[in-house]
Amino acid sequence: MSAVLELDRLSLSFGGLRALSDLDLQVGEREVVSVIGPNGAGKTTVFNVITGVYEPSAGDVRFSAQSGSAESIAGRPPHAIARLGVARTFQTLRLFMNMSVLENVMTATYGGTKAMPWESVLRLPRARREEREARALAEDALSFFGQRLAGYRWDQPAYSLSYANRRRLEIARALATKPKLLLLDEPAAGMNPAETHEVTELIGRLADERGVAILVIEHDMHVVSGCSDRVVALDHGVKIAEGSFDAVSNHPAVVEAYMGRHPEDLAGAE
Amino acid sequence: MSVDPQGPKVGADEWVARQAHRREYLPSWLGDAQRRAERIGWWPRLAIAGLAGLALPLLGLGGFQLQVGIDALVIALLAVGLNIVVGWAGLLDLGYVAFFGFGAYGYALLSSSQLGANGIHLPYWLSLPIVMIGAALLGLAVGLPSRRLLGDYLAIVTLFLGEAFVEFTNNVAPSKLGGPNGITGIDPIQAFGVQLLTNTSYFYLLVIVLVVTMAVLRLLEYSRTGRAWRAVREDPLAAAAMTIPVNRVKLSAFACAAMVAALAGTIFAAQQASVFPTDFDTPILILIYAGLILGGTGSIAGAATGALVVMVIYDGLLRSPAEASLLFYGLGLLTLLVKLRPWRRLAAVLGATIALGFAAHAIAAAISSSAVATGPQSSGWLGDGLRDWVIVPANPQTAGNVGFVVLVCLAITLVQVKGRWRTILLVPTIYLAAFVWETRLVVEPSITRQLMIGAILIVMMIARPQGLLGQRRVEVAT
């Protein structure tokens, strides 16, 4: 399987603080990879480096927009990376709150369209066609969530949505950039058990129906076990385990990172 | 995912949305009328407003009224342009008036005897594109260093650039730019053998230009570009993650706003036939912002309406003492009517204020005739009505100054106290406000105008923070 995303000995330091050290990670086509780890492990930082918010101090990020044509995207501006096909959602929701639901999604088609302002004003053919396509793409992305983001909500401002629906809208907005790789930052945070279950199904459907590779940060182990092809565990910016959910969840280093060392071991170490 | 066959359930979010939506409308039949007006598309509404504007001179506006109208339309055009950069892109640009000045000076140089032996006298169809493209380039140049500045920093840097324009025109190349004496003898607008010579023709031109600009911007607002501008306002980081080149989008907002400002500048210069550095100083900037905020930041119709309202009040009504007084007492009464509840409290305050006035006047007159020597300085029936109510002593200036300071202290106290004491203290405050108005403010239009605009904005902020036609917005802390 060819890798869509490849992190090669990726490191990031803020002054003396090493947020990420020599991180290797691959995400294959249509693969769902979960990133777990305790708070402050550097999970969101990985996303920020991949999407160009931070520039890595060392190492490389390679992304292949078409299979077999990997190119380095480290240090490119965020919008350029997004145009290549890397879309993300945010842990703290970052919607365009005062724009309508439909507009939120249509905004993400900016990179895929080319009409200049005067073309939009004069309603020239290219602008009209792109606008039609953008709307169709947005409606398609929203329809992925069935009744949850159904038609009557399209013209409401995003701030009127419930928390769960805001999370869904962020995913719809990310889909409208036509991504090859989708980075989901805690998609189930703040959701009730039923909605959490829905998120698990949703991640599987995204990979199957939309053909995107998914890298997901999640704290809810039901979601992680339900959706992941592979799990990567981080602690203090270092990869401590990788493999199937069962293998990683029973890995001693992971147990230690979450629970601390067993008292008897500590006593033995003295 | 399970799809609910009965359609979506009404959840808390839905309820909140409906409530918020309902609160946007006025109560009773006014709300119905509002809803019906909204069902009309945007362009018929704009066309109706434009036709109404074109019909105005037919009512026989005098020279002064026509000049007020022209000034108001110029400011409205500027406010609509400012809305691009402030309302949509969310960049607090305080140097905007420099682009207005650039347009005016650019037109002045291209249409006068200022440059060369015989001067340059370009037709408008040639000078307008030159000036607008120049302004767009200037907008890019100003935007380039400013694009990484956020919030307060952007505001202060652009304010500096705006002031730099005034200094530039004042001091650089006096033989060409005229220094403080400005450029005079500017040609009227001429194109295709037509010359615009009368104020009426400029009024018509401005109405048409304003309507066309508003239509263009409305088409832009809901296009790819407009959405990108607003997305950058809402959340630059998310916008960048959604394929939007944030810096380039900010620059395009600067350039578009600069072009609208320059367009307004050319018409302003041609109509005045002269330009001076002081025409493009901070007071104009404040008026543009006041109009934009009053009308509703982010709304095209709001920006235009707000600017027209501010300018008609500021330039028209507040120039003549009689109309200024009507506005003062009218707004004061309206505020009391709207804000004082229940009606018993309102009646008590009004009754007590009237009684206090007549009593105070009678006592003052009994003690010394010089205490009421000067009548109220409002003219007409209003002045007659107030003659035995408000005290205006022999030396109104000094009394007014003292009264003003006391009024400010009283107003501050009024805000601090609560409940019954506030109601009681309101009575002398209103009376003192009338006293200060009659002794001092009504004859000082230059000061009064500023105070009134400030007061109107404060009332607006309390009553309808989103502005006349603006949409309520939520601010999200990031």
Side-chain angles (χ1 to χ4, degrees):
Chain A
M1 185 159 51
S2 65
V4 173
L5 178 78
E6 212 174 338
L7 306 186
D8 180 16
R9 296 182 66 78
L10 189 71
S11 298
L12 178 71
S13 309
F14 297 110
L17 178 77
R18 293 205 71 152
L20 299 174
S21 328
D22 293 333
L23 185 66
D24 289 318
L25 182 74
Q26 268 110 36
V27 183
E29 271 177 36
R30 296 188 181 224
E31 195 183 14
V32 180
V33 177
S34 294
V35 181
I36 62 168
N39 288 328
K43 305 182 294 295
T44 300
T45 310
V46 174
F47 276 23
N48 282 338
V49 174
I50 296 172
T51 54
V53 178
Y54 300 138
E55 201 173 326
S57 333
D60 201 7
V61 182
R62 280 191 294 275
F63 174 73
S64 48
Q66 279 101 42
S67 43
S69 64
E71 53 183 326
S72 171
I73 56 169
R76 290 202 200 177
H79 69 89
I81 293 174
R83 270 179 204 200
L84 280 176
V86 182
R88 75 174 289 184
T89 66
F90 294 88
Q91 183 182 359
T92 52
L93 289 160
R94 283 175 166 269
L95 287 169
F96 308 129
M97 284 295 187
N98 295 302
M99 294 166 70
S100 75
V101 168
L102 192 64
E103 271 192 309
N104 260 278
V105 186
M106 285 174 79
T107 302
T109 64
Y110 188 91
T113 48
K114 291 194 175 61
M116 299 305 285
W118 55 85
E119 292 177 73
S120 301
V121 169
L122 297 174
R123 290 282 189 265
L124 294 184
R126 177 162 81 164
R128 286 223 305 273
R129 176 172 49 78
E130 283 183 354
E131 197 72 2
R132 259 199 320 274
E133 287 169 0
R135 201 186 158 94
L137 184 62
E139 290 177 0
D140 177 53
L142 286 168
S143 70
F144 190 73
F145 298 89
Q147 290 288 314
R148 295 293 192 177
L149 291 172
Y152 77 104
R153 287 193 206 272
W154 289 352
D155 293 326
Q156 291 176 354
Y159 66 72
S160 71
L161 293 182
S162 71
Y163 193 78
N165 267 341
R166 288 181 190 183
R167 287 227 173 269
R168 295 187 186 104
L169 179 56
E170 262 213 335
I171 298 175
R173 189 179 67 172
L175 281 179
T177 64
K178 294 187 183 165
K180 190 95 190 299
L181 171 70
L182 191 55
L183 310 176
L184 302 174
D185 200 343
E186 299 202 20
M191 291 197 170
N192 65 33
E195 289 167 336
T196 306
H197 183 69
E198 233 174 70
V199 167
T200 316
E201 273 182 57
L202 180 84
I203 294 172
R205 277 179 59 214
L206 280 170
D208 293 343
E209 294 175 21
R210 303 273 157 160
V212 291
I214 296 174
L215 191 60
V216 54
I217 294 174
E218 189 48 68
H219 278 300
D220 191 310
M221 289 304 149
H222 297 294
V223 177
V224 175
S225 68
C227 73
S228 328
D229 295 322
R230 197 148 48 84
V231 178
V232 172
L234 292 187
D235 192 26
H236 298 299
V238 181
K239 184 161 78 177
I240 53 173
E242 181 171 1
S244 70
F245 176 76
D246 291 329
V248 170
S249 58
N250 294 318
H251 195 284
V254 177
V255 175
E256 188 188 316
Y258 274 94
M259 305 298 210
R261 269 205 233 172
H262 196 279
E264 283 173 21
D265 294 349
L266 279 174
E270 275 171 347
Chain B
M1 177 189 299
S2 60
V3 173
D4 195 338
Q6 276 100 47
K9 295 222 163 57
V10 177
D13 56 327
E14 163 98 44
W15 185 85
V16 169
R18 278 193 194 152
Q19 286 300 311
H21 196 57
R22 205 172 293 151
R23 256 181 284 133
E24 295 291 319
Y25 295 100
L26 296 166
S28 72
W29 62 272
L30 283 168
D32 290 339
Q34 235 177 326
R35 277 191 202 91
R36 216 160 294 152
E38 268 177 26
R39 233 169 283 148
I40 310 170
W42 65 272
W43 62 266
R45 261 186 284 171
L46 185 58
I48 291 167
L51 287 175
L54 287 177
L56 267 182
L58 303 178
L59 300 175
L61 293 184
F64 170 67
Q65 287 149 331
L66 208 54
Q67 185 60 48
V68 169
I70 288 170
D71 290 345
L73 285 167
V74 168
I75 297 291
L77 191 55
L78 285 166
V80 166
L82 184 65
N83 182 47
I84 300 172
V85 67
V86 176
W88 291 344
L91 305 164
L92 192 58
D93 176 10
L94 296 179
Y96 179 68
V97 77
F99 301 116
F100 177 48
F102 177 86
Y105 266 86
Y107 177 82
L109 289 175
L110 293 176
S111 320
S112 67
S113 308
Q114 220 45 36
L115 296 179
N118 297 317
I120 308 172
H121 299 275
L122 290 182
Y124 194 54
W125 60 263
L126 197 57
S127 60
L128 181 67
I130 294 174
V131 169
M132 279 177 75
I133 290 168
L137 293 177
L138 185 69
L140 290 179
V142 169
L144 270 179
S146 317
R147 71 196 159 145
R148 287 191 187 278
L149 299 171
L150 298 175
D152 309 350
Y153 288 90
L154 179 72
I156 204 67
V157 168
T158 48
L159 182 63
F160 167 76
L161 290 170
E163 286 303 301
F165 176 82
V166 178
E167 291 302 318
F168 183 88
T169 47
N170 250 325
N171 296 307
V172 174
S175 62
K176 299 281 182 268
L177 295 177
N181 297 325
I183 299 173
T184 50
I186 301 169
D187 303 341
I189 285 176
Q190 50 187 356
F192 312 114
V194 183
Q195 271 199 331
L196 298 186
L197 294 169
T198 62
N199 271 356
T200 318
S201 60
Y202 278 100
F203 187 92
Y204 285 134
L205 175 73
L206 274 165
V207 169
I208 293 166
V209 167
L210 180 62
V211 166
V212 169
T213 309
M214 286 169 76
V216 165
L217 291 180
R218 176 57 177 64
L219 291 170
L220 213 49
E221 183 181 6
Y222 293 100
S223 77
R224 174 177 182 262
T225 316
R227 279 194 301 268
W229 282 336
R230 284 177 290 141
V232 166
R233 172 194 72 198
E234 294 292 317
D235 191 328
L237 181 62
M242 295 302 133
T243 70
I244 293 170
V246 174
N247 285 338
R248 226 177 300 158
V249 165
K250 282 183 183 176
L251 283 182
S252 73
F254 262 105
C256 284
M259 280 165 76
V260 176
L263 169 67
T266 57
I267 302 175
F268 174 80
Q271 193 265 330
Q272 301 268 313
S274 59
V275 288
F276 305 100
T278 47
D279 289 340
F280 313 105
D281 213 342
T282 334
I284 300 290
L285 183 74
I286 294 171
L287 281 178
I288 306 168
Y289 265 96
L292 180 63
I293 292 167
L294 187 78
T297 320
S299 151
I300 306 169
T305 314
L308 291 176
V309 168
V310 164
M311 284 306 285
V312 167
I313 291 175
Y314 183 85
D315 229 17
L317 300 180
L318 291 182
R319 281 238 180 113
S320 81
E323 280 160 349
S325 287
L326 276 182
L327 197 68
F328 173 78
Y329 291 110
L331 277 182
L333 203 58
L334 195 68
T335 314
L336 291 179
L337 285 176
V338 171
K339 278 286 157 190
L340 272 189
R341 292 284 145 71
W343 64 268
R344 255 181 272 115
R345 190 154 159 248
L346 173 70
V349 167
L350 287 182
T353 312
I354 293 167
L356 173 71
F358 283 115
H361 191 275
I363 293 167
I367 293 169
S368 148
S369 62
S370 79
V372 290
T374 322
Q377 308 209 14
S378 290
S379 50
W381 58 269
L382 199 59
D384 295 338
L386 295 171
R387 190 158 302 279
D388 292 327
W389 183 71
V390 67
I391 302 172
V392 184
N395 49 347
Q397 291 226 335
T398 325
N401 288 346
V402 174
F404 187 80
V405 175
V406 178
L407 177 64
V408 170
C409 297
L410 254 182
I412 292 170
T413 320
L414 189 69
V415 180
Q416 297 299 322
V417 297
K418 290 226 156 47
R420 193 194 304 155
W421 284 106
R422 183 178 279 192
T423 314
I424 293 171
L425 206 57
L426 192 58
V427 176
T429 312
I430 297 170
Y431 184 68
L432 196 62
F435 169 78
V436 174
W437 178 262
E438 292 300 341
T439 51
R440 197 82 174 86
L441 291 182
V442 72
V443 287
E444 302 267 3
S446 56
I447 301 168
T448 313
R449 295 199 293 174
Q450 318 276 358
L451 287 177
M452 287 293 276
I453 294 295
I456 289 170
L457 282 177
I458 291 171
V459 169
M460 196 67 189
M461 186 190 75
I462 295 164
R464 200 177 153 81
Q466 69 268 45
L468 285 173
L469 301 175
Q471 292 281 322
R472 186 191 304 270
R473 272 201 226 153
V474 293
E475 295 290 337
V476 186
T478 46

